[in-house]
Amino acid sequence: MRLELRRVFAAYFLLSVLGLVYALLQLGQPCHSAAQVKAAAEQVRQRDQRVQQLQAEVRRLHTQLRAQGAAGTDGSLPTIYAITPTYARWVQKAELVRLSQTFRHLRNFHWIVVEDADQRTELVAHLLRQSGLHYTHLNMATPPVLKLKDQDPSWLKARGVEQRNLGIRWLRENRELSEEAVVYFADDDNTYSLRLFDEMRWTKRVSVWPVGLVGGMRFEGPLVEQDKVVGFHTGWKPNRPFPIDMAGFAVALQLLLANREAGFDPQAERGYLESSLLQSLVSVEQLEPKADDCRTVLVWHTRTERPKMKQEEALVKEGRGSDLRVEV
Ligand code: UGA
Ligand code: MN
């Protein structure tokens, strides 16, 4: 990698010098004809383009090198696999940039991004390539019968279910039972403290912690006595087997691989999605409380407002919106 970078720098330097020499030679030359001038201009343009390409390549290699330093691997640390379902909407790129930059601070981390789409998009593929993270890019469209319509309230149907299940299947097909690692279901819109990942990394079966700003509460979370979960602080359906938000637990990879049938039930009643997985993996007594016996919130169930596009729509209607080629 270092060699390659050095070569790119050398090529870039050589081209710049050649460009300069060429320009200096041209200085003394009389101007022959319009055609000659045009040809020279074209040559300069092509050279500029090449220099720009090389600069982009240098930036890319820089990113990659930096990633190797930060997201480096350390054999003594269990890997964290985060499975993130994501779908196309105006804020998608912003969410994924924010998330990827949080994850960049972690060691031994592997991001499994599953697009709710018939095909993987270039937007997500590009973002992942640039991210400097170890990642796997998958896609699985939610079947139309299970998909929310635009007018539906957001709670009507479960979201991200098929995608998380595909992430689990990928792990079952590509990872060994002997690997010490942990799996976390990280929605693309939440806010994650880096400390959360230190807490979950050494999960033996299923670890749990509180989640902030969820279920109409300041926080929801397990109640802990003498290192054991004895109940749950929740404002809603407290009798669910595991009244825990998706962001509030992580599962040991080995447990997930050993229980080959365990998964999220797309038909689960509202609020029972998390229970549909956890029920087949652990009992409440076996849960491992983290984050100061569940007294510190390290993840928040935030949600980005859907931007109103009134002005944009008006411009498009007038036929003035589309010719500005800006990547948003
Ligand atoms: C809450 C929980 O925190 C989710 O983990 C749970 O999946 C969801 O409820 C549910 O009941 O299904 P909430 O904030 O209401 O989450 O849901 P979203 O953030 O809108 O979606 C959860 C994840 O699924 C996100 O990563 C989102 O990008 C993804 N998603 C959402 C899709 O892949 N496809 C969709 O059509 C909608
Ligand atoms: Mn959300």
Side-chain angles (χ1 to χ4, degrees):
M1 174 56 60
R2 270 175 216 295
L3 252 182
E4 201 177 332
L5 188 60
R6 206 174 301 154
R7 228 180 297 140
V8 173
F9 272 128
Y12 174 51
F13 180 71
L14 199 70
L15 263 176
S16 310
V17 171
L18 278 176
L20 190 66
V21 169
Y22 178 78
L24 285 174
L25 285 176
Q26 294 303 306
L27 271 182
Q29 302 287 322
C31 201
H32 294 302
S33 69
Q36 265 178 330
V37 171
K38 217 169 151 196
E42 174 58 18
Q43 256 184 350
V44 170
R45 194 192 64 77
Q46 281 178 6
R47 213 153 284 169
D48 272 356
Q49 210 175 19
R50 183 76 192 119
V51 167
Q52 275 175 15
Q53 280 170 358
L54 284 170
Q55 280 174 332
E57 180 66 7
V58 167
R59 277 199 299 274
R60 194 184 65 77
L61 288 170
H62 255 303
T63 312
Q64 217 168 320
L65 275 181
R66 226 178 327 130
Q68 281 177 353
T73 36
D74 172 344
S76 62
L77 278 185
T79 299
I80 295 173
Y81 292 96
I83 299 180
T84 300
T86 186
Y87 70 110
R89 71 252 197 231
W90 285 112
V91 300
Q92 183 184 31
K93 189 170 174 185
E95 304 282 30
L96 294 177
V97 164
R98 200 152 50 100
L99 202 50
S100 66
Q101 290 181 356
T102 295
F103 293 158
R104 274 292 298 275
H105 296 280
L106 303 172
R107 301 172 70 81
N108 284 27
F109 178 85
H110 186 127
W111 198 14
I112 301 176
V113 178
V114 192
E115 288 194 67
D116 183 351
D118 287 320
Q119 272 164 3
R120 280 168 284 177
T121 63
E122 185 48 34
L123 184 147
V124 175
H126 184 248
L127 196 138
L128 287 171
R129 280 198 299 272
Q130 299 274 307
S131 73
L133 294 166
H134 297 286
Y135 66 86
T136 298
H137 185 187
L138 306 171
N139 71 289
M140 158 81 84
T142 305
V145 281
L146 297 175
K147 182 90 179 162
L148 275 180
K149 311 262 175 323
D150 256 2
Q151 321 76 277
D152 288 345
S154 71
W155 47 261
L156 192 66
K157 299 206 171 92
R159 279 133 283 146
V161 184
E162 312 287 336
Q163 293 73 28
R164 294 189 194 97
N165 284 340
L166 179 64
I168 295 174
R169 190 178 339 141
W170 184 89
L171 286 167
R172 290 196 172 121
E173 288 168 3
N174 294 279
R175 288 298 180 267
E176 300 293 328
L177 187 61
S178 57
E179 181 177 335
E180 202 182 349
V182 62
V183 182
Y184 183 50
F185 300 97
D187 287 356
D188 63 2
D189 54 346
N190 295 336
T191 306
Y192 305 90
S193 160
L194 293 177
R195 257 193 68 197
L196 178 67
F197 300 93
D198 298 332
E199 297 285 326
M200 73 171 75
R201 202 183 282 277
W202 302 95
T203 301
K204 292 190 197 76
R205 287 171 161 268
V206 173
S207 55
V208 288
W209 48 80
V211 177
L213 313 175
V214 69
M217 311 263 288
R218 212 153 55 87
F219 74 95
E220 285 185 344
L223 302 168
V224 178
E225 274 174 24
Q226 283 153 15
D227 295 339
K228 292 267 173 269
V229 175
V230 295
F232 296 91
H233 174 69
T234 175
W236 190 60
K237 295 193 186 171
N239 293 328
R240 287 173 287 166
F242 293 89
I244 304 177
D245 185 77
M246 194 66 71
F249 67 92
V251 182
L253 178 71
Q254 294 176 345
L255 189 65
L256 211 51
L257 297 198
N259 291 271
R260 300 199 73 83
E261 300 308 312
F264 292 102
D265 177 6
Q267 311 283 359
E269 195 187 323
R270 188 180 162 209
Y272 285 75
L273 186 61
E274 294 80 357
S275 298
S276 73
L277 173 80
L278 292 174
Q279 261 174 324
S280 47
L281 297 176
V282 273
S283 61
V284 170
E285 302 76 61
Q286 289 173 324
L287 293 174
E288 296 146 53
K290 303 284 184 187
D292 308 320
D293 278 346
C294 296
R295 276 196 296 269
T296 306
V297 169
L298 297 173
V299 53
W300 293 262
H301 190 258
T302 45
R303 164 174 298 182
T304 306
E305 186 183 339
R306 182 202 281 222
K308 297 183 186 69
M309 291 290 185
K310 292 231 163 64
Q311 269 66 24
E312 184 81 30
E313 281 161 15
L315 283 181
V316 170
K317 231 183 213 165
E318 291 166 24
R320 295 199 288 130
S322 55
D323 49 348
L324 278 175
R325 291 170 60 89
V326 174
E327 209 192 288
V328 184

